[in-house]
Structure formats: structure tokens, C-alpha cells
Amino acid sequence: MANQQSSGGRPNVVVILCDQLRSFALGCYGNQEVQTPNIDRLAQGGFRFEQAVSNTPVCVPARSNLLSGQYSRTCVGARQNEMSTLPADGVFGRNNRDKFKDQTLAEAFKAAGYKTVQIGKWHVDTRPSKLGFDESLVTGNQIFTKGNFSKNEERAYPVPGFTTDHEISQAREFFHSSKNSNQPFFLYYNIIAPHMPILDVPYKYSHMYNPETVSLRDNVWKNDVLARNEIWFNIYMWQTTYNPKNRPVTAKIPPEFTLKNLAALYNGSVTWVDDTVGEIVASLKENGLEEDTLVVFVSDHGDMLGSHHLWNKERLYEEAIRVPMIYSWPGRIKPGTSTRQVASLVDVMPSLLDLCGAEIPPSVQGQSLKPVLTGQTERLDRDYAIIETPFRALGIRTPTHLYGVLVNRDDTAIEDDRYVFYNLKEDPYQLHNLAKTGQERAVAEDLKEKLIRWDRETKRLTGVEYTAWYPQDSNPYAE
């Protein structure tokens, strides 16, 4: 344990963030089909939050939630994937701080004496160096092959094969070079999978699961009709929206292709994520860093994957907002599972800083989960999470219920304060909206009051032009 002792007892920190992984796809969250032994092992030796939530189930704002400890309206303004155009120097992200006005997670660790490093997908509209990272290796691709990487914000260079292989090799080199260092490190490693394209994966994973035996969520049928959308099937498999030139010329959805085929491909990509996590954890162990390293495994958001006949993320449904969240630090975090405390992305920053003995900036809007992680209590006073979506819905998720209101198109007032209300213990698939039924009135009123107060008191980012919401002409939650 030389590294921890030489750094004054401060652990190294590795945050592994994957893209579009819903918690329901993992063994440790109850899935009995998808092979995820490495993540399951991490959960068994660490602490798992059963009710973990993305505060904004969209890539860019969700990652911004984690890096800032703030809600999207405060740190970046928008609740959708706003990205600046690629500048002339070929480096992604704004070269300024018109967003992220306050201290970030990387800056807080840097102030505490940590070396800060980013590897993998970035997808934040401000460059890593502007948010406190000493080093960065950003992949600019939305696909997993034909990769381009920008190292320390220099012009991108191509890498043959799968981008994940290059990222793992760079992480291994970093761990090897850090094993005898007196300086602790914070590594922010981003895995693109299981985000689409789910066919652009190694053959082993695309052929791993049998569509005929794959299980589906109970809410993928509507009037006994299984969810199907050929446009979305194409996007999931080939990411045609972003990379039409990479779509195979022979690609065509066959009539016999169903959601079961798509789910089997998604499950294969999930197992690829698991093997990648296994590589990272194994490399920590090989370099003698495992005992001295606090590891957090989490996802930015989930995936609808046909539930309620909807696709992608962005919705106030469990499939989109529920994410895995596991904290592991041998000997310091007691293995266990929390079912009474809802955790969310804005809580990651204060929790990590608190566990490492670093100062939590007053600008942070999340809360430290350390008392739960260390066994001091089963739940905090704030045992809920706030969710912002780009379809104008604001939600509050407790261990048992989800309540939502609808904001007007001008983002100035609540348009419908009884938009959705679900008892998730009795209705886990959100098939019965209780918002206007009068059922469980006391619970509903309490959650509505909390959500309205949050909306009133949580400041919005100023000085940046943005479009807060996607247009919405109909209520996707209507019965």
C-alpha cells in the first residue's frame, strides 16, 4: 500500500462512466441472462445503489452533472446534447468557460494535490483542460472502429481497430507509470458502449446472445403489439443519423428482425462493457493499486429500447433514468446494497471528495453519500433525486415513487403540476399513471411541493444562449 501511505492516506480515484447502460441489463441488478461477471464482482466487493438515477437522461448534460455536481440548468443551461461546431484546430469542445462557472470535480481534485487524467469519450462542450484535467485522450468518434483520438487537445490522429482497445492500452500504461508515484491520481475513464451502433462491436459480442431466448421488459407491448420502428432499428445498429457513410451498403432490416434481435445485440454490447471494466480492474491489481484505489462505476443514462414503444433515452421513465452506481474501496467502503437511499449523478462529486478528505465546493448541489457508503446511516434526509428531461418534464424519484410536472415551452413556469405519478413498488413498469386519479394524495402532494420548491430555488445559468427543451406536441405518458 505504498501509494496510499505516501499520499497521506488519500486514495487514487477511478471513475468508469459508460454510455447508455441501464441498470436492468446487469446481473447485480437482477438480470439473469446478460453475462456481467466483472461488474457483478465489483458490486459484491463494493457498495451498490439499487435506486441510482441520471439527473438528466441525455449524454452531454448527464456528464456535466457528474463533473460539476450541479443540475443541468445551473452548470450548462440545456437539457439536450448541445455541442459547439468542430473548431479549426480539430479539437472538440469550447476553449472557454462560458459554461461550468464553478469548480469542477477535476479542479477540486487538482486543488487537493491529485494528478487528473481523462481517457475515452468526452462529449462535454468544454475542453478537458478547461475543466481541470492535466492530461486527456479524447476519442472523437460516435462509432467504435476507424477511431480518431486527440491527445492533450492536439490535432486528432487515427487508430486502427476498436477504440476501446487503444483506450485500455493507454489506461494500462498510465497505471504502470503511476504505481510508484507519491502523487495520487484521478482517472475519468469513459466507455462508449453500449451506446449505438450496437453492431459496430467485436464479432464475439454481436453473436453472443440468442434472440429467441432473450427476455424483454413487460412494457414493450402496447395493445399486445411488440415495439418496432425500422428507423430506430437502423440507428441502433449502424448509427445512421450520425455516420451514414459507415452504414453497410447491404444493410436492410429484414422482416423477421424484431425487438428481440435488437435486445440481443444490446446485451452483447453490455457484456463488452463488462469485459472492459474487468480489464481496468485487473490492471489496477497488476500494478499493486487495487487496495489504494476508490473505483466508481456508473452510466450517464439508460435506454428505452422499446419500452412504452419509445427509443433512446431522454424520458421520465425508469428505463431511461435508472443507471448502475457502484462504489468500491477495499477496506474503507463496507460491501452492501442500499435500497432506501436514492443516489444520482450530482452526488458523485461531493461523495468522492468527502471520501478522499478533500473540500467540497459550496457551489455543489448534490450531496455526499459517504454516511451511507460507510455504514453510518441507511438513508439521508434527502432520500430522493431530481430529474430534468429535454421533453419539458421535471421529475422527483424517491425509493418508491416517481412524480413529474410539465414546464411550459418558454421554460418560465410549470404548465401541468399533475403530469405523472407512479407507485414504482406496485407498478415498476409505469403502466398506470396516478397523477389525476387522486390516489395516494398525501404522497403526491408532498412530492409535488418538493419539486416545485426545487424548480423555484434552483438557479439557471445566465449569459449563454440555449434551447432548453425539445418540442413536444403530445403527452407521451398519456394512458
Side-chain angles (χ1 to χ4, degrees):
M1 297 182 27
N3 186 275
Q4 183 175 324
Q5 292 173 349
S6 61
S7 62
R10 293 172 296 171
N12 303 307
V13 176
V14 176
V15 172
I16 304 174
L17 177 70
C18 53
D19 196 334
Q20 206 141 321
L21 174 61
R22 59 189 194 179
S23 60
F24 308 112
L26 300 176
C28 57
Y29 281 89
N31 191 303
Q32 298 180 1
E33 296 180 7
V34 186
Q35 299 173 31
T36 55
N38 296 294
I39 297 171
D40 297 346
R41 195 175 302 116
L42 191 69
Q44 186 177 16
F47 194 96
R48 180 178 67 85
F49 286 94
E50 176 69 25
Q51 317 289 344
V53 169
S54 173
N55 301 104
T56 320
V58 188
C59 293
V60 172
R63 292 159 190 272
S64 303
N65 294 150
L66 188 151
L67 289 170
S68 67
Q70 295 179 341
Y71 297 105
S72 299
R73 66 167 59 180
T74 302
C75 62
V76 292
R79 268 76 72 192
Q80 54 180 297
N81 281 335
E82 290 198 333
M83 293 290 290
S84 57
T85 56
L86 187 66
D89 59 7
V91 181
F92 288 92
R94 298 173 188 263
N95 198 22
N96 58 43
R97 285 288 290 269
D98 59 349
K99 302 179 181 181
F100 296 95
K101 299 295 187 181
D102 300 303
Q103 190 178 43
T104 66
L105 177 58
E107 289 173 323
F109 271 125
K110 194 170 183 178
Y114 279 68
K115 181 175 183 177
T116 56
V117 178
Q118 178 274 340
I119 293 177
K121 182 172 181 175
W122 178 237
H123 216 193
V124 173
D125 197 18
T126 303
R127 298 184 182 182
S129 65
K130 295 296 180 182
L131 299 187
F133 286 97
D134 298 316
E135 299 177 7
S136 62
L137 182 71
V138 176
T139 175
N141 287 52
Q142 292 285 348
I143 55 176
F144 308 128
T145 52
K146 305 175 186 177
N148 290 292
F149 285 87
S150 173
K151 188 167 187 177
N152 297 328
E153 300 174 15
E154 297 176 352
R155 183 168 290 276
Y157 61 91
V159 172
F162 288 97
T163 56
T164 300
D165 294 336
H166 185 59
E167 293 162 4
I168 291 174
S169 70
Q170 294 299 299
R172 285 183 173 275
E173 288 184 17
F174 173 69
F175 291 147
H176 182 74
S177 66
S178 302
K179 64 181 181 180
N180 295 317
S181 174
N182 291 327
Q183 183 183 23
F185 62 78
F186 164 52
L187 172 63
Y188 178 54
Y189 175 48
N190 289 243
I191 303 171
I192 301 179
H195 191 283
M196 63 274 289
I198 54 179
L199 262 186
D200 190 28
V201 303
Y203 182 91
K204 167 185 175 182
Y205 303 108
S206 63
H207 290 72
M208 181 169 283
Y209 296 99
N210 183 356
E212 294 182 4
T213 59
V214 71
S215 296
L216 299 174
R217 301 276 291 168
D218 285 0
N219 51 16
V220 297
W221 284 269
K222 186 180 291 186
N223 299 324
D224 296 325
V225 176
L226 182 64
R228 178 182 180 88
N229 186 308
E230 291 196 21
I231 294 175
W232 274 109
F233 282 0
N234 277 285
I235 294 172
Y236 270 91
M237 291 196 291
W238 295 294
Q239 191 79 330
T240 56
T241 299
Y242 302 104
N243 295 285
K245 66 180 180 180
N246 291 308
R247 180 183 176 184
V249 294
T250 57
K252 185 177 180 180
I253 302 296
E256 65 272 15
F257 190 97
T258 72
L259 179 59
K260 286 200 166 196
N261 298 83
L262 194 70
L265 291 171
Y266 179 84
N267 291 349
S269 194
V270 171
T271 297
W272 189 23
V273 170
D274 183 76
D275 284 347
T276 303
V277 172
E279 293 269 9
I280 296 298
V281 174
S283 184
L284 286 170
K285 188 172 183 178
E286 290 165 5
N287 288 284
L289 297 169
E290 184 181 31
E291 297 296 318
D292 303 337
T293 302
L294 167 57
V295 176
V296 175
F297 176 76
V298 68
S299 178
D300 55 356
H301 50 75
D303 192 321
M304 293 302 299
L305 203 63
S307 287
H308 303 281
H309 284 218
L310 296 170
W311 311 93
N312 214 15
K313 51 262 187 176
E314 303 161 335
R315 306 286 185 162
L316 200 59
Y317 280 120
E318 290 282 272
E319 290 79 12
I321 67 174
R322 286 279 297 283
V323 296
M325 186 176 291
I326 299 166
Y327 287 74
S328 176
W329 185 9
R332 301 298 292 270
I333 290 178
K334 186 178 180 181
T337 297
S338 173
T339 58
R340 299 190 62 191
Q341 178 64 48
V342 177
S344 66
L345 296 181
V346 294
D347 301 327
V348 173
M349 177 174 176
S351 300
L352 290 178
L353 295 176
D354 198 8
L355 286 164
C356 296
E359 184 176 352
I360 301 173
S363 57
V364 165
Q365 295 167 328
Q367 62 183 344
S368 172
L369 301 169
K370 180 180 177 181
V372 179
L373 291 165
T374 55
Q376 295 174 259
T377 183
E378 290 187 358
R379 57 176 292 275
L380 305 173
D381 290 339
R382 191 202 311 172
D383 62 349
Y384 57 84
I386 301 294
I387 303 140
E388 302 173 271
T389 80
F391 282 98
R392 298 196 287 132
L394 300 180
I396 179 169
R397 175 64 158 84
T398 76
T400 57
H401 291 77
L402 174 70
Y403 192 94
V405 302
L406 188 67
V407 179
N408 65 11
R409 295 183 184 280
D410 296 328
D411 195 23
T412 56
I414 292 176
E415 181 178 288
D416 185 350
D417 65 1
R418 292 190 299 159
Y419 187 42
V420 292
F421 177 44
Y422 295 101
N423 181 328
L424 297 172
K425 288 192 70 176
E426 297 182 3
D427 179 26
Y429 296 103
Q430 293 173 273
L431 300 175
H432 306 289
N433 184 0
L434 306 178
K436 293 178 173 63
T437 66
Q439 296 182 47
E440 300 190 60
R441 185 182 301 276
V443 176
E445 288 298 318
D446 177 63
L447 296 181
K448 180 174 73 173
E449 180 184 344
K450 286 184 171 68
L451 192 53
I452 291 175
R453 183 169 64 247
W454 176 88
D455 180 59
R456 183 175 61 248
E457 296 177 353
T458 306
K459 66 177 182 179
R460 289 171 167 81
L461 181 67
T462 58
V464 176
E465 291 187 10
Y466 64 90
T467 302
W469 312 101
Y470 292 145
Q472 180 178 336
D473 296 321
S474 63
N475 180 356
Y477 305 95
E479 292 296 306

